[in-house]
């Protein structure tokens, strides 16, 4: 009688582990999977999310890479001191120390939304550590900002109490859900736990932290000149894979990478801001092929 492999034997996925590390009074929660000696990938989430957004991508990548995804301060399960200063520079300080704590001497990074300005600071500080960059709707150019940023721009120009308060609506349940579903062709592909958990974390941690970051986001634009200089000097391999219907970060922001990185790869997906929710397999496939050309790993065809 001929033996046949069981269904389980063909679908076993790498084990994902969950832990926290104390970084200067902040308990950074993170997810990790993959061989300890494999090439490293740092996954950085964005606004209205946490490392939970990588729940399916992590085990897919971990077959050939060591993958680590922290919750940024102010998000998910990361715990901060009551006096924590919620600025992007401070978030970058924490994640910089976090990469040291987990032993990331060199790493590729996936940046999305708020994860981009954090990742950009890390790259500018430590260009020798960055092996490759995947930007999924992670903006780095002013032309990538849609008109939807008008309320934030008003607060950057005049951080009055009224302008700050006007940003509170971005943290409502309805607005959080909208950011997941806007521009999506088939909303049934968007798991509701993503936006439900994101909203629950905002309620638990407090909206003020989010307002601080929205007001501080203007400082990221002030950092763009340094970022572009880094791109031009070091020419890091970069894949921009973009939900083309994103209401906040428009396709022009993806195309702009090629101005400073002529070899950058730019791809578009017919979806919205949270492209990983609807096109996870496509993004994983693109990442495998891209990273295999620049980081030791295996192409999609070799998996």
């Amino acid at each position: 009688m001929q033996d046949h492999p069981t269904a389980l034997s063909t679908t076993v996925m790498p084990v994902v582990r969950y832990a926290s590390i104390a970084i200067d009074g902040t308990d950074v929660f993170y997810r990790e999977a993959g061989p300890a000696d494999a090439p490293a990938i740092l996954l950085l989430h964005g606004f209205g999310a946490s490392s939970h957004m990588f729940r399916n991508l992590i085990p897919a990548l971990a077959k050939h890479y060591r993958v680590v995804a922290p919750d940024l301060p102010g998000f998910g399960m990361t715990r901060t001191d009551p006096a924590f200063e919620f600025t992007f520079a401070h978030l970058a300080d924490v994640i910089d120390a976090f990469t040291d704590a987990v032993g990331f001497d060199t790493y590729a990074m996936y940046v999305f939304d708020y994860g981009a300005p954090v990742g950009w600071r890390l790259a500018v500080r430590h260009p020798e550590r960055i092996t490759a960059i995947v930007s999924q709707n992670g903006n780095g150019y002013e032309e990538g900002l849609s008109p939807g940023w008008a309320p934030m721009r008003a607060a950057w120009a005049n951080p009055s109490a009224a302008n700050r308060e006007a940003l509170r609506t971005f943290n409502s349940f309805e607005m959080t859900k909208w950011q997941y579903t806007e521009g999506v062709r088939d909303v049934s592909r968007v798991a509701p736990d993503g936006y439900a958990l994101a909203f629950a974390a905002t309620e638990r941690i407090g909206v003020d932290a989010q307002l601080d970051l929205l007001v501080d986001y203007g400082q990221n634009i002030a950092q763009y000149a340094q970022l572009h200089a880094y791109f031009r000097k070091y020419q890091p391999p970069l894949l921009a894979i973009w939900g083309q219907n994103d209401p906040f970060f428009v396709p022009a922001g993806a195309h702009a990478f090629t101005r400073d990185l002529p070899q950058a790869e730019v791809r578009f997906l017919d979806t919205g801001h949270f492209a990983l929710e609807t096109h996870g397999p496509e993004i994983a496939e693109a990442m495998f092929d891209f990273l295999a050309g620049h980081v030791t790993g295996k192409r999609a065809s070799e998996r």
Side-chain angles (χ1 to χ4, degrees):
M1 183 175 179
Q2 186 177 3
D3 292 331
H4 295 280
T6 65
L8 180 61
S9 69
T10 63
T11 58
V12 170
M13 301 294 282
V15 172
V16 179
R17 293 180 171 83
Y18 310 88
S20 294
I21 292 182
I23 305 290
D24 296 330
T26 296
D27 290 328
V28 180
F29 172 85
Y30 65 101
R31 302 163 191 253
E32 179 175 9
D37 59 350
I41 303 177
L42 178 69
L43 306 178
L44 296 174
H45 70 82
F47 179 83
S50 69
S51 62
H52 175 264
M53 70 172 282
F54 300 118
R55 62 197 179 278
N56 297 320
L57 184 63
I58 290 172
L61 296 176
K63 296 174 184 179
H64 303 295
Y65 298 96
R66 181 187 176 201
V67 190
V68 174
D71 285 354
L72 298 175
F75 300 86
M77 300 297 292
T78 288
R79 309 292 182 181
T80 59
D81 182 276
F84 189 92
E85 181 185 14
F86 285 96
T87 66
F88 284 91
H90 196 188
L91 265 57
D93 289 342
V94 171
I95 300 304
D96 194 2
F98 171 81
T99 62
D100 288 337
V102 298
F104 271 20
D105 296 324
T106 60
Y107 54 91
M109 62 180 180
Y110 178 118
V111 297
F112 164 71
D113 190 88
Y114 275 11
V118 173
W120 301 149
R121 284 172 169 81
L122 301 185
V124 169
R125 291 180 193 180
H126 309 293
E128 75 286 352
R129 296 187 181 183
I130 307 303
T131 58
I133 299 169
V134 176
S135 175
Q136 188 257 291
N137 295 73
N139 196 59
Y141 292 84
E142 191 157 2
E143 57 261 51
L145 301 176
S146 77
W149 285 87
M152 279 71 80
R153 288 185 183 276
W156 303 339
N158 177 18
S160 65
N163 284 341
R164 175 186 170 90
E165 187 62 24
L167 304 180
R168 189 171 295 272
T169 184
F170 284 93
N171 296 281
S172 67
F173 177 79
E174 292 76 16
M175 187 62 170
T176 302
K177 178 181 178 180
W178 180 82
Q179 290 178 67
Y180 276 75
T181 58
E182 178 65 16
V184 174
R185 299 303 182 190
D186 180 3
V187 177
S188 71
R189 296 178 67 175
V190 178
D193 50 337
Y195 52 81
L197 288 171
F199 177 72
T202 299
E203 290 287 285
R204 183 181 72 251
I205 296 168
V207 175
D208 283 340
Q210 299 301 323
L211 297 181
D212 288 349
L213 289 171
L214 284 170
V215 173
D216 187 64
Y217 196 93
Q219 295 303 311
N220 298 329
I221 297 173
Q223 297 288 315
Y224 281 170
Q226 293 180 44
L227 171 66
H228 303 160
Y230 155 75
F231 284 158
R232 290 191 296 272
K233 181 175 181 179
Y234 294 97
Q235 294 293 303
L238 184 141
L239 166 65
I241 188 159
W242 221 260
Q244 65 186 16
N245 309 319
D246 190 330
F248 292 108
F249 298 122
V250 297
H255 287 299
F257 285 110
T258 61
R259 186 163 65 235
D260 296 309
L261 298 171
Q263 301 304 313
E265 299 179 30
V266 180
R267 303 188 190 187
F268 292 100
L269 301 168
D270 188 12
T271 191
H273 184 58
F274 283 91
L276 198 57
E277 293 293 314
T278 57
H279 289 68
E282 293 90 335
I283 291 173
E285 197 88 357
M287 287 183 67
F288 266 108
D289 283 336
F290 168 72
L291 292 173
H294 305 287
V295 179
T296 303
K298 292 185 180 292
R299 293 189 178 275
S301 61
E302 299 175 300
R303 286 181 286 151

